[in-house]
Amino acid sequence: MKIHVLGSAAGGGFPQWNCNCRNCAGVRNGSVRTRARTQSSIAVSPDGVDWVLFNASPDLLAQIKSFAPLQPGRSLRDTGIRAIVLMDGQIDHTTGLLMLREGKPLEIHCTRMVHEDLTHGNPLFRVLGHYCGVDWKPVELEGSGTFAVGAVADLEFTAVALKSKAAPYSPHRDHPHPGDNIGVRVRDRRTGRSLFYAPGLAEIEPHLRPLMEEADCVMVDGTFYTDDEMVQLGISKKRGSDIGHLAQSGPGGMIEALRPLRASRKILIHINNTNPILDEDSPERAAVEAAGIEVSYDGMDIEL
């Protein structure tokens, strides 16, 4: 199984267009050793030819331009994207769907809650109905949560509900429902090796631990280093936990959760522009790496 990181930043990208924090200013003027990042998305393939896109960020066209396997190569109008799995209904994970409107109906796998939000609260699916159309494949959380994507039969997908929040535009933003956010295990049927992917994660719930412990690669929420990161910078009055993200540091944080896992690759993705781990010379980056955890970047490739 091949995994390609198309984008590794949280909403707004890095640097964020209107932000002059130390990280954003540093990447612009070269005073911080770091690299620019687009908004988070990955692509997964069993063979390097047919790919499943996880989320569709506003930066999707630039991401396709940077990754040849997604570009047309077999016919006059073509793409390596065979299907799209949406982890949630956030605008930084769905706006890119509009960039795919010139093609065939989009095969989109998502939960009923996300489908409802993208049909009514933020009617992207209804808009796309006037262009390419949407071939919706429901992701059910009851039972095993396992679903298939026909074009990549060698891969098995299993969805699990996550404790997080629906998008701000959702009618039930402050009343979470199962299916607002999911994590997905992708298992290669040929080798048994697996990826657990959860770019939005507020808590390591008991039902997630077996999936994370069994996975060969764990790629999870890297939004904030501390829960009060944006509060301390004077950017927001909200903590990371208020908007559905588990910080890396502190008791019960992501570093503590990832450190004992057997996975050969433990990777943070969806990294906010304020997060000090973006500075490759920071003590926070050193602490993450000392725990055997990697910080994702655009163009990162993993093979399982």
Side-chain angles (χ1 to χ4, degrees):
M1 173 168 51
K2 299 178 185 298
I3 305 159
H4 182 81
V5 176
L6 292 163
S8 51
F14 178 59
Q16 184 170 302
W17 67 278
N18 66 340
C19 186
N20 200 36
C21 71
R22 178 182 180 276
N23 281 347
C24 289
V27 75
R28 292 189 187 101
N29 62 30
S31 63
V32 174
R33 191 163 70 92
T34 186
R35 63 178 82 190
R37 289 165 165 84
T38 58
Q39 294 166 91
S40 72
S41 176
I42 67 169
V44 176
S45 172
D47 55 14
V49 176
D50 298 312
W51 294 82
V52 176
L53 185 66
F54 281 77
N55 295 330
S57 92
D59 300 314
L60 182 57
L61 292 186
Q63 293 167 347
I64 291 173
K65 185 177 180 179
S66 71
F67 188 51
L70 301 188
Q71 298 168 16
R74 288 164 286 197
S75 60
L76 184 61
R77 290 289 179 95
D78 177 51
T79 177
I81 300 171
R82 293 290 170 258
I84 302 157
V85 175
L86 298 179
M87 311 298 288
D88 52 51
Q90 302 285 349
I91 61 170
D92 53 312
H93 286 163
T94 58
T95 308
L97 295 172
L98 295 172
M99 304 301 104
L100 304 178
R101 65 188 181 276
E102 294 90 356
K104 298 177 181 178
L106 302 176
E107 181 178 320
I108 298 178
H109 299 252
C110 68
T111 65
R112 296 181 186 277
M113 296 310 302
V114 170
H115 182 269
E116 180 180 315
D117 280 346
L118 293 179
T119 304
H120 303 291
N122 177 21
L124 278 178
F125 286 177
R126 290 163 61 187
V127 172
L128 288 167
H130 295 283
Y131 295 91
C132 57
V134 171
D135 178 15
W136 174 46
K137 308 291 187 182
V139 172
E140 304 290 357
L141 297 175
E142 294 79 9
S144 68
T146 298
F147 63 99
V149 177
V152 291
D154 287 328
L155 300 182
E156 175 190 85
F157 302 81
T158 301
V160 289
L162 301 182
K163 183 177 288 187
S164 191
K165 287 199 171 187
Y169 66 80
S170 173
H172 59 273
R173 164 71 169 180
D174 296 317
H175 304 281
H177 291 60
D180 288 335
N181 293 263
I182 59 171
V184 175
R185 181 186 68 182
V186 185
R187 188 178 71 89
D188 190 320
R189 298 178 189 274
R190 300 163 298 183
T191 65
R193 294 174 68 81
S194 66
L195 161 73
F196 179 73
Y197 181 59
L201 189 56
E203 181 182 321
I204 309 296
E205 301 170 82
H207 71 279
L208 301 182
R209 293 188 182 278
L211 294 174
M212 295 175 69
E213 289 168 355
E214 295 166 6
D216 298 284
C217 177
V218 177
M219 188 178 290
V220 290
D221 192 333
T223 310
F224 300 116
Y225 191 77
T226 58
D227 190 44
D228 63 349
E229 190 171 297
M230 294 199 297
V231 176
Q232 290 297 320
L233 289 171
I235 292 173
S236 173
K237 295 181 180 180
K238 292 183 177 180
R239 292 173 171 266
S241 53
D242 293 333
I243 56 176
H245 297 287
L246 177 64
Q248 280 112 59
S249 62
M254 195 66 79
I255 294 175
E256 183 179 286
L258 294 180
R259 193 192 302 270
L261 298 183
R262 73 165 188 86
S264 58
R265 307 289 297 270
K266 293 174 273 190
I267 304 170
L268 299 173
I269 195 168
H270 193 271
I271 305 159
N272 200 58
N273 63 286
T274 57
N275 193 326
I277 66 172
L278 290 170
D279 178 353
E280 296 174 20
D281 297 318
S282 68
E284 293 87 357
R285 177 65 168 261
V288 164
E289 292 178 343
I293 301 168
E294 301 173 67
V295 177
S296 66
Y297 55 86
D298 293 20
M300 184 183 211
D301 284 305
I302 301 106
E303 188 160 352
L304 300 178

